[in-house]
Amino acid sequence: MTQLAVTGLSKAFGGRPVLTDVDLDVPEGSLTAILGPSGSGKTTLLRIIVGFEHADGGRVTLGVGFGWNTDELADHGVPAGRRRDVLREYLAGMESLWSAEEASFDGEFVRFDASWAWPKTVSQPRPPVLVGAIGGPRTLEWIAASADGWITTPGEEGIGEKVAALRAAWQAAARPGAPYVVGLGGKPDPAVLAAWAEAGVDEVLFGMPDRSPDEVVAYLGRLAAKLA
């Protein structure tokens, strides 16, 4: 599952382009190094990702999840049985920083006194929050109550039924609109994609091979031909 995706990111200072149509994809569990000479835009890219700068164009998508590695959770002070509660507080604390001129939060797991953080997000009171997790009933209800959409897991089955359950939970929570759903595609099957679209999947992501640029471009061509 993608934990960070940067799409078409652009930024200029005083009319001088610093970033132009930058794309970056960081899969879950991986480390990515950004290399380049001084002035190439590395710092600007990182500042946009963490929210210290507004981009002129493009999109940064950050994935969130409850966590599955119980040893890692314990090392970070997260009780395994309280993963959803901890994430809810993390997001509520961040929403305060994203929206309030003077932010503060006093929860069980997250606490901070009066704090000031700029720039604020363009979308208020928070940017869209998509949760990547197996679509069980408890998770779908959590998304309807505390997030804005769902990212499926690789090989997830019963997508149509789960999207319907998510929409039902969404309505029960009196949320306006509809949840945004991103499906992680496996084999490029047009019939499957059509069924997903009918069910309410908004976007589908396909993994790219870890190969040379020419091989990746060739793969994209084959993928496009199968889905045409």
Side-chain angles (χ1 to χ4, degrees):
M1 182 179 69
T2 296
Q3 290 296 94
L4 168 65
V6 173
T7 309
L9 207 64
S10 299
K11 180 67 177 181
F13 293 102
R16 184 176 71 86
V18 177
L19 300 173
T20 304
D21 292 331
V22 174
D23 294 329
L24 174 67
D25 186 89
V26 180
E28 181 179 10
S30 67
L31 298 175
T32 298
I34 300 175
L35 305 176
S38 179
S40 63
K42 304 185 300 297
T43 301
T44 298
L45 174 61
L46 295 175
R47 286 177 60 84
I48 291 173
I49 289 172
V50 300
F52 292 162
E53 296 279 358
H54 279 153
D56 295 334
R59 179 175 66 177
V60 175
T61 303
L62 293 172
V64 302
F66 303 119
W68 59 271
N69 188 321
T70 54
D71 291 337
E72 185 179 81
L73 290 169
D75 187 63
H76 287 72
V78 178
R82 304 290 306 282
R83 292 176 292 177
R84 289 171 172 79
D85 299 326
V86 172
L87 180 57
R88 183 180 287 109
E89 285 199 6
Y90 283 170
L91 292 175
M94 287 302 302
E95 183 172 316
S96 178
L97 290 167
W98 284 326
S99 59
E101 290 298 305
E102 181 178 289
S104 62
F105 194 83
D106 184 18
E108 181 180 355
F109 300 99
V110 178
R111 299 184 187 88
F112 54 87
D113 294 328
S115 302
W116 299 264
W118 288 276
K120 302 301 182 185
T121 57
V122 175
S123 301
Q124 284 293 322
R126 67 185 185 207
V129 174
L130 308 182
V131 176
I134 296 174
R138 187 179 178 192
T139 292
L140 299 179
E141 290 175 1
W142 194 99
I143 292 171
S146 304
D148 304 295
W150 174 43
I151 304 173
T152 73
T153 57
E156 185 110 26
E157 297 181 350
I159 298 293
E161 294 82 357
K162 291 176 181 179
V163 173
L166 174 58
R167 290 193 166 197
W170 194 268
Q171 293 179 352
R175 298 284 301 274
Y180 194 87
V181 179
V182 178
L184 300 188
K187 293 182 179 180
D189 186 334
V192 170
L193 296 185
W196 284 9
E198 179 69 21
V201 174
D202 299 283
E203 181 179 348
V204 177
L205 303 179
F206 288 94
M208 296 293 104
D210 185 14
R211 302 290 180 83
S212 69
D214 288 343
E215 290 175 298
V216 172
V217 170
Y219 173 82
L220 288 172
R222 294 192 298 272
L223 181 63
K226 291 179 179 179
L227 297 178

